[in-house]
Structures are given as structure tokens and as C-alpha cells.
Amino acid sequence: AGMAGAFLMEIRRATQSALLVIRYAAAELPSAPVEVSVCADSLEVRSGGSCDAAALPAGVTLAPSSCRGLRRLRGDGLHLRVRLRRPPPAADVVFALRESLKPNKNYIFYCQSCGDIVVNDRKFLRVLPLPSENWSDLVEEWCCHPDPFARKTLHPQHGDCFVGDTFFLLNSRNESHVPESPKSKENTRVICKRCKAMLGETVSSGTIKYYVTEVIIQSTEGSFSPTPRSQFVQSIVAQCLLELSSAKSTFRFTIKGDNGKTYILIWLLNSDTLLVESLGSSSSHSDFTLFGDILTPSSGPVGTWNALKVLYQPCIQCRNKELADAWEDDMGVHPLKFPSETCLELLLILGLSTTSLPPSLRCMNSFQVRTASF
């Protein structure tokens, strides 16, 4: 058995601390003694005649004298904790759903799955945020008289774009892919003409809803650049969680499909995590790579990602029904709606990420653990 040359470091900016996990290609430790050297800007592991070393990314500086808690966990490898000399640079989050569109600019909407143009050269005179989907449930707390908003809906006019938590509302005008007179729930689905992926749904005869996970929006001056589907979905959902937790101080979410079913319960643990991963040798790549083939390192053999850490519970096939019902009745839980197919994709992404973590880090109480980049 030899070293795989792979490690995972989970850094918390708020506490300036890090958990370091050094993995082995084999399930058991080698018979020769293992020497781990932690330097301010690098890691080195020696065993027998082999030596594996990796330089840490710029901005990550350790305090070697603070190493503590070294232990071996079967199936994981070696764990130890270490302090940072200074916190890494703050995450530069420039994307915001509510700021991705600007008035008086021309935009093109592309199908994220195949790149086909969905909305061509549209100029918005007004870009306005919508209240949360469950806003009407709070009206009784706001008003001392009958609900003044009852039976009233918000529909964009020509030149309007309304921005929700997970969707954009547009005036449908004469879009050819929009059903003219939907007669059933199935007929309201807006489908990409090329790849038949669901892009959104018609809200009324003049209004269409596009989900943020299904379209890529770029100004007419730019060019379309495709993004792998898994990477795009996890990035968009992570950004939704980050924005809502910052704006509303809510940390529990239900992921619902357009069919009304609850697919996933998500509990946001933290958003100050920086992940540093060494891919090691090619033989260890399938053994220990945080995102598998979803993401690749930013440069060289060591990758860094800003990440959210979440707990989640799947709710398909009536799993966790009692917990899902309790969350449904809790005003502190925020619902997020996506196409049902995307909910299943997200559940698969969550599962793949969980299985790529060391076994000891995969669960917390009855929840499964997952990290998502943004």
C-alpha cells in the first residue's frame, strides 16, 4: 500500500481553522511509519521511500505549531486540525439573481441544456424584484383589515421583467414556444424546441415563467459559453441559498418541483468554507475527488473552491414524510421551486458529492452532508 497523494482541507474563514484529511489509495495504512510535515505554505507526507508534497494555494497560510488532534480513521486516512495564520481572502460573490438583469440593456436567453436561443434580443425597461412565493401567508400579520391583495396577481407588461427567488417573469408577447391557450397543467410547460428540456411554464395567456436553472442570460454584446449541466445547477442553487440566507436570515429550505411535490430538505450550515483539494495521482482520482468530474481544479494539481456546506434529506418515495410535513408548516422554512426533473438532478448531485467525501464526514445526526461551490 502506498500514498495516494490526495488530501482535502476544509477551511472556515470565520474561525480561521482547518480540518485536514490525508487519504490513502488502499483501505489500510502502509506498514512503514508515516511522517506528516505541515509547513506554512505546503504539506508533505513520507512513507517508506515515497514522498508526496503539495504547495498550498496563494492566500492559505497555516500555523504549523497549532496542529492537534492527529488520528487515524479507518476508510478515511489521517485527520488533523490546524489554525491559520491569517484568514484567506473573502469570497468574491459577484453574481446575484436580482442583479443579473439591468434596465435598458438588450439580452438573449439561451437554453442551458443545448444553447438554443429562447428569447432573442429583448430589452427591458423595468427589472423589478418579486416578493417571496409564500408572501401571501404573511399578509394577515401585516394588515389589520381584509387582505387587499386577495385575487390580485402581478403580471409583467411589455418591457417588464419580474425577478423571483428561482425564476424570471416575462411578457410572452408572440414567443413561438409558448402555448397560446393552456388547457391543463401539462400544457403550461414551456419546452425547448431543440432538446425538449423544460424551460418554464406559462402563468397566464400573456406571462411566462423561466426558471433560473434552465436558461443562461447574456447581453447581446457577449457570446454564448456553455457550462456543464451539473456545475451550472449546483452553482445556481448555491447562489439562491446564499442570497436568501443573507437577505432573510433563513437557513432551512424545501426544494419543490413544479408538480407541487417536495423532493429535498436542505439546511444551510455555513457559507464561509474554502475547500482545498489535491487530486494526487491518477489512480486516486476516482477514490477521492470532492466533485468527481463535475468541477476541475482552478490550476495545477491543487484546486480551491468557495463553498456552502449543507445538510440535506431526500423526500422521494415518501422518505422523511413526517419531517417534510413539519417543515411545510414551519414559517421559518423557505420553499424553492424548480422543474421536477431539475430537482431529481440536484438530488443526484447531492448524493454524488456526499459519497465523494470521507465516510466520517458524510453524515451529521440523521442528515447527509454536502458541499456546493458558488
Side-chain angles (χ1 to χ4, degrees):
M3 287 295 299
F7 72 85
L8 171 69
M9 183 181 295
E10 181 182 315
I11 296 173
R12 293 292 307 277
R13 289 184 173 90
T15 59
Q16 298 185 41
S17 61
L19 170 65
L20 173 63
V21 182
I22 300 173
R23 283 294 290 268
Y24 287 82
E28 297 294 331
L29 290 174
S31 56
V34 177
E35 179 182 339
V36 180
S37 298
V38 178
C39 301
D41 57 359
S42 64
L43 300 171
E44 186 176 281
V45 180
R46 296 177 180 272
S47 177
S50 66
C51 176
D52 294 290
L56 297 178
V60 178
T61 306
L62 306 178
S65 60
S66 67
C67 291
R68 59 182 175 82
L70 178 63
R71 57 177 178 153
R72 168 201 170 188
L73 293 180
R74 183 179 297 275
D76 279 14
L78 299 177
H79 285 230
L80 63 90
R81 294 190 175 274
V82 62
R83 301 282 298 177
L84 274 64
R85 285 186 173 175
R86 59 178 179 271
D92 185 16
V93 183
V94 297
F95 181 91
L97 295 178
R98 297 183 185 276
E99 297 178 2
S100 57
L101 292 171
K102 299 292 184 182
N104 299 312
K105 290 189 65 175
N106 292 66
Y107 292 95
I108 299 176
F109 285 46
Y110 298 91
C111 170
Q112 197 283 322
S113 297
C114 70
D116 194 31
I117 293 179
V118 178
V119 178
N120 191 21
D121 199 17
R122 181 75 70 89
K123 182 177 182 179
F124 299 111
L125 302 179
R126 300 191 305 171
V127 178
L128 302 173
L130 287 169
S132 302
E133 287 199 49
N134 62 344
W135 67 273
S136 58
D137 298 336
L138 302 174
V139 170
E140 291 183 1
E141 304 295 331
W142 297 343
C143 302
C144 58
H145 47 79
D147 182 0
F149 307 106
R151 295 180 297 279
K152 291 184 179 180
T153 54
L154 300 173
H155 294 299
Q157 302 302 311
H158 176 71
D160 287 347
C161 178
F162 294 167
V163 184
D165 290 339
T166 62
F167 59 87
F168 302 98
L169 282 186
L170 275 63
N171 188 289
S172 60
R173 293 169 57 178
N174 295 318
E175 302 291 347
S176 60
H177 58 283
V178 179
E180 294 183 1
S181 55
K183 298 180 176 62
S184 68
K185 177 64 179 176
E186 188 64 28
N187 288 337
T188 66
R189 293 166 65 91
V190 177
I191 306 298
C192 174
K193 292 181 293 185
R194 178 190 291 176
C195 70
K196 308 306 179 184
M198 179 186 175
L199 305 174
E201 55 190 274
T202 54
V203 178
S204 68
S205 59
T207 303
I208 181 172
K209 174 194 291 185
Y210 289 108
Y211 287 104
V212 296
T213 53
E214 312 309 315
V215 294
I216 292 178
I217 305 173
Q218 292 185 342
S219 64
T220 53
E221 292 84 6
S223 58
F224 177 75
S225 54
T227 305
R229 177 67 181 166
S230 296
Q231 180 180 342
F232 182 81
V233 169
Q234 74 167 354
S235 177
I236 288 293
V237 173
Q239 290 162 18
C240 287
L241 300 181
L242 182 62
E243 288 188 41
L244 289 168
S245 64
S246 301
K248 303 177 183 295
S249 295
T250 182
F251 304 98
R252 290 183 295 160
F253 304 87
T254 55
I255 305 299
K256 292 176 171 290
D258 62 292
N259 56 8
K261 295 181 180 180
T262 299
Y263 285 81
I264 314 169
L265 308 178
I266 291 182
W267 195 325
L268 176 61
L269 282 183
N270 64 67
S271 58
D272 67 339
T273 296
L274 177 66
L275 296 173
V276 181
E277 183 188 7
S278 167
L279 299 184
S281 62
S282 59
S283 62
S284 69
H285 189 270
S286 61
D287 246 357
F288 187 57
T289 302
L290 191 60
F291 295 110
D293 58 0
I294 295 175
L295 292 179
T296 55
S298 51
S299 62
V302 177
T304 60
W305 296 271
N306 293 309
L308 306 181
K309 191 169 185 177
V310 302
L311 305 178
Y312 73 96
Q313 288 278 23
C315 296
I316 58 174
Q317 299 178 339
C318 296
R319 294 178 62 184
N320 301 301
K321 186 177 185 307
E322 291 186 5
L323 182 59
D325 291 342
W327 280 35
E328 186 75 26
D329 298 331
D330 192 330
M331 294 298 294
V333 177
H334 193 86
L336 295 175
K337 182 180 177 182
F338 299 102
S340 301
E341 296 88 345
T342 301
C343 295
L344 293 173
E345 286 182 85
L346 179 59
L347 188 57
L348 177 61
I349 293 170
L350 290 169
L352 290 173
S353 177
T354 298
T355 55
S356 70
L357 291 171
S360 66
L361 303 180
R362 294 176 186 174
C363 296
M364 181 179 293
N365 298 330
S366 61
F367 283 81
Q368 297 179 70
V369 179
R370 200 259 187 216
T371 52
S373 69
F374 61 94

